[in-house]
Amino acid sequence: MKRLSRKVKNKANRSVNLIAQYNPKSPITEQYRLIRNNLHFSSVDKEIKTIVVTSPEPGDGKTTTAANLAIVLAQQGKQVLLVDADLRKPSVHFTFNVSNIDGLTSILTKVIEIETAITKTNVPNLDLLTSGPTPPNPSELLGSKTMELIIKELKEAYEYIVFDTPPLLVVTDAQIMASKSDGVVMVVASGKTKKDRGIKAKELVGKANSQLLGVVVNGVDSKKDNYGQYG
């Protein structure tokens, strides 16, 4: 298959959520590096290239985690693509302050080619594929053969692909993407995510025959512990 061209659009990006870029010495950034390092350990027996980032419920911080994880992977010199696969309530374009006129759904519906939809960020080695226009059938698009072909083509061009997906307990989209990925990073919120909801989300990952790479705990009191944990 022809290798994906790297001639993509260049957009400026700036957001307080992108702490891994703008405050690389922060303890929070160090936690994202810890996640990155643990992903590398997880790939000893199985290559990890496609990573789904999700959460049990909305508001757990999955998009912030996906964005910063993609940044620290890129900072290691890896070619990384961050994909907004939350086709219902996309937010990656807000995080990076870019247009969402075209994106993943535009490729899936064959409106534009992959190269046209990808945006080059100001983070070296990090590209962005926003969600595109909201479709009436997100689950069907993500579960389609066309989506599998797109992932296959992207894997030829990037060393890591990070998918930001909807919460597991809200819609089936994340479970569908989990079944197409090498592993899942689960994001939970300290003091918010109930234990039974976390367990249910973990079970759904298992039903998708995907590997749970780890759990990120957001919102831990910095006076008691670090921002996030991975285990």
Side-chain angles (χ1 to χ4, degrees):
M1 182 175 292
K2 185 178 179 181
R3 186 174 179 83
L4 178 64
S5 170
R6 304 199 64 79
K7 294 181 180 179
V8 295
K9 298 177 290 182
N10 189 9
K11 295 285 186 178
N13 56 291
R14 176 97 184 162
S15 171
V16 294
N17 291 326
L18 303 181
I19 191 168
Q21 180 182 5
Y22 296 110
N23 194 353
K25 295 182 179 181
S26 164
I28 299 175
T29 301
E30 188 58 35
Q31 291 299 315
Y32 287 119
R33 294 195 189 100
L34 178 61
I35 299 170
R36 177 193 66 193
N37 292 341
N38 283 329
L39 288 175
H40 291 164
F41 284 121
S42 297
S43 63
V44 172
D45 294 324
K46 174 187 175 183
E47 185 180 36
I48 305 295
K49 292 193 68 170
T50 52
I51 303 163
V52 162
V53 179
T54 187
S55 60
E57 298 171 305
D60 292 334
K62 64 177 182 61
T63 299
T64 298
T65 298
N68 284 284
L69 175 58
I71 290 172
V72 296
L73 286 168
Q75 287 173 340
Q76 204 176 35
K78 306 296 184 180
Q79 296 296 328
V80 182
L81 178 67
L82 174 61
V83 180
D84 194 342
D86 189 339
L87 305 185
R88 300 170 191 268
K89 292 186 178 180
S91 57
V92 168
H93 62 290
F94 292 124
T95 302
F96 283 83
N97 192 28
V98 298
S99 170
N100 192 34
I101 294 177
D102 293 314
L104 178 58
T105 57
S106 308
I107 303 171
L108 285 166
T109 55
K110 298 179 172 57
V111 173
I112 59 175
E113 298 295 324
I114 293 178
E115 294 91 339
T116 307
I118 293 176
T119 298
K120 190 173 183 63
T121 73
N122 286 343
V123 179
N125 307 312
L126 177 61
D127 291 346
L128 184 69
L129 177 57
T130 63
S131 67
T134 302
N137 56 340
S139 297
E140 288 81 359
L141 286 178
L142 294 175
S144 66
K145 183 65 176 180
T146 301
M147 185 66 193
E148 292 181 9
L149 294 174
I150 290 172
I151 293 174
K152 182 178 180 181
E153 185 170 353
L154 292 174
K155 287 174 71 174
E156 294 181 0
Y158 294 93
E159 294 172 271
Y160 287 103
I161 306 170
V162 179
F163 294 97
D164 179 30
T165 66
L168 274 162
L169 302 184
V170 177
V171 290
T172 61
D173 303 16
Q175 197 173 1
I176 291 171
M177 288 304 300
S179 69
K180 300 177 183 296
S181 73
D182 298 322
V184 174
V185 171
M186 184 84 67
V187 181
V188 299
S190 177
K192 173 183 176 295
T193 305
K194 301 299 183 182
K195 183 178 180 179
D196 62 325
R197 306 297 280 172
I199 293 174
K200 178 63 176 176
K202 180 181 179 181
E203 290 174 352
L204 291 177
V205 173
K207 289 180 180 179
N209 294 318
S210 186
Q211 178 183 358
L212 182 61
L213 299 172
V215 177
V216 177
V217 183
N218 278 339
V220 176
D221 189 344
S222 61
K223 295 180 181 179
K224 298 179 181 180
D225 204 341
N226 287 324
Y227 173 84
Q229 298 179 358
Y230 186 93

